[in-house]
Amino acid sequence: MNLASKKAALEARVAIRRAVRSWFEGQGFLEVETPARVPSPGQEVHLEAIPAGEARYLITSPEYHMKRLVAAGLPRIVQICRCWRGGERGSHHEPEFTMMEWYRAGASLAEIACDCEALVEVAARAVGHWPALDVPASRGREGRPEKLGVQAPFERLTVREALSRFAGIGLCGDESVDELRSLAARAGCNLGTAVHWDDIFFQIFLDHVEPHLGRYRPTLVFDWPLPLAALARRKPDDPVTVERFELYAGGLELANAFGELCDPVEQRARFVEEAEQRRQRGRVVYPIDEKLLAALGDMPPTCGVAMGFDRLVMLVTGAESIRDVMAFAADEV
Amino acid sequence: MSTYDTSDIRKGLKVMMDGSPYTVVEFQFIKPGKGAAFTRTKFKNLLSGAVIERNVRSGEKMESANVETKTMQYLYKEADSFVFMDTSTYDQVQIPSETIGEDALLMPEQIVVEVLFFNERAVGVTLPNFIEQKILATEPGFRGDTATGVTKPAKISTGATIAVPLFINAGDTIKIDTRSGEYLERVGRA
């Protein structure tokens, strides 16, 4: 392997890390470090945690322990740390990667969206690429290189608007599996043997919506349907959607944000439901994090977001593959 | 017949979809943060050549396509078919003219081609990318006339008419790209 060819990318990585750390410090964030080996690595249906001995797993994100810190009275915290997700390998995925995750107590999801806009600017300026970024052909539409303007404001869409605009279907979020299936058929999707609500949804989303997001400028997609809630709270005025956004830019899924669910009763019910989903799909079922549930009751209204740090570096340096911005990819270890 | 799943997807994998054989030309692992893994895959229809993109969810099964390519030599033409010989077994097969289509006009006898079989039936012929052919007839050329972009029609012995530069004469041998049917260069003079 030619490590020297990575020198420029590794220098850019450091410059970006330094710049974003300084931005967080200026915003009054406390940088924290939470455990990488935990008994409950999360219950999300599609994440595989890597076992780490003695009933411990490597974290798939630092979310649970960071929330416990918020509940314990730290209103603004950030962490840039390694996370591990088994079986994920591709030009945008590595099983070991770096996550940048931050929480703001008392803030709205709109404020977190502004944080994302600011951080993309900070990162782009740190490598001297502002305000237009080069998107390489492999991430461009139809395999062509394109430019991405990253000045705020980013485009803001709801999931419903995006599905209506790009897939031509009207989705509420409370459809039954059969209703969703007929919407997918109308959009011309090939569902194969999909029987789960989220699998059908993502078939529609990946076939028709995702390729259009974050083109020419980044897109924030808000208001996800309740079945895709994970750890987000319901919108009080629209209970079939949750307070969540995803950020797409230049062919990359860059960040996922939640208005954090602080209700321990609803959270427990979702953990139980997700554990059941995992069991049905033949996946390992992890123990429920009782210490997190105990802490949630003390957590003030909070919004949090996880941004893929490697992908942020890819975005502002125009890298084609995540391995181009890491010193060693998993198959180089 | 075997089945594949998304972890088997690689370039050149041949699978059945909607009753037609396809080959994988490109693929990428994708995974929404909160969703299942998919493989964004470009498939080429081996019968029509059309390329389609599908997002195949992890765990979906695909049936292998019973296709194989054989290296064969073109022997001679019959009324409405062409006779080829397998260069390793010496078996002879007849392929209907309509399967070969316009490529027949660029197919000299003795040429070695790749024949695609689907369910044991020949469904397509791939010529070598380049062939060399003698000009049978064309308007006389002018020595020194090398103006670029100006062409005239020229007939070759396999039946095709090729647009050639003005300086080419009957009896010259030219190199042709079989994929585009275009003249590339003169390789021999009359």
Side-chain angles (χ1 to χ4, degrees), chain A residues 44 46-47 87-93 190-194 199 202-203 206-207 210-211 244 246 253 256 258, chain B residues 17-18 26-40 42 53-61:
Chain A
E44 279 189 35
H46 298 289
L47 295 185
E88 302 197 3
R89 189 170 294 184
S91 55
H92 304 174
H93 297 265
N190 193 305
L191 291 178
T193 59
D199 288 344
F202 278 112
Q203 188 77 55
L206 292 174
D207 286 357
E210 188 251 19
R244 174 182 163 203
E246 287 261 357
E253 183 185 331
N256 175 63
F258 292 143
Chain B
M17 290 194 310
D18 312 327
E26 222 178 283
F27 67 98
Q28 189 194 9
F29 176 86
I30 53 172
K31 187 170 187 294
K34 306 296 166 196
F38 289 76
T39 307
R40 181 161 281 164
K42 281 196 177 131
E53 188 176 280
R54 288 251 177 110
N55 297 311
V56 187
R57 193 170 43 83
S58 178
E60 287 294 320
K61 300 272 187 271

Side-chain angles (χ1 to χ4, degrees), chain B residues 171-188:
Chain B
D172 285 352
T173 302
I174 62 166
K175 188 173 180 181
I176 300 162
D177 188 324
T178 60
R179 294 160 293 185
S180 60
E182 281 171 6
Y183 164 91
L184 289 174
E185 58 178 335
R186 177 163 65 182
V187 293

Side-chain angles (χ1 to χ4, degrees), chain A residues 216-231:
Chain A
Y216 316 114
R217 64 177 173 144
T219 307
L220 293 151
V221 182
F222 284 86
D223 297 355
W224 288 72
L226 184 60
L228 305 172
L231 286 81

Side-chain angles (χ1 to χ4, degrees), chain B residues 118-130:
Chain B
F118 172 45
N119 292 338
E120 259 92 84
R121 193 167 61 86
V123 291
V125 168
T126 307
L127 302 182
N129 290 346
F130 308 108

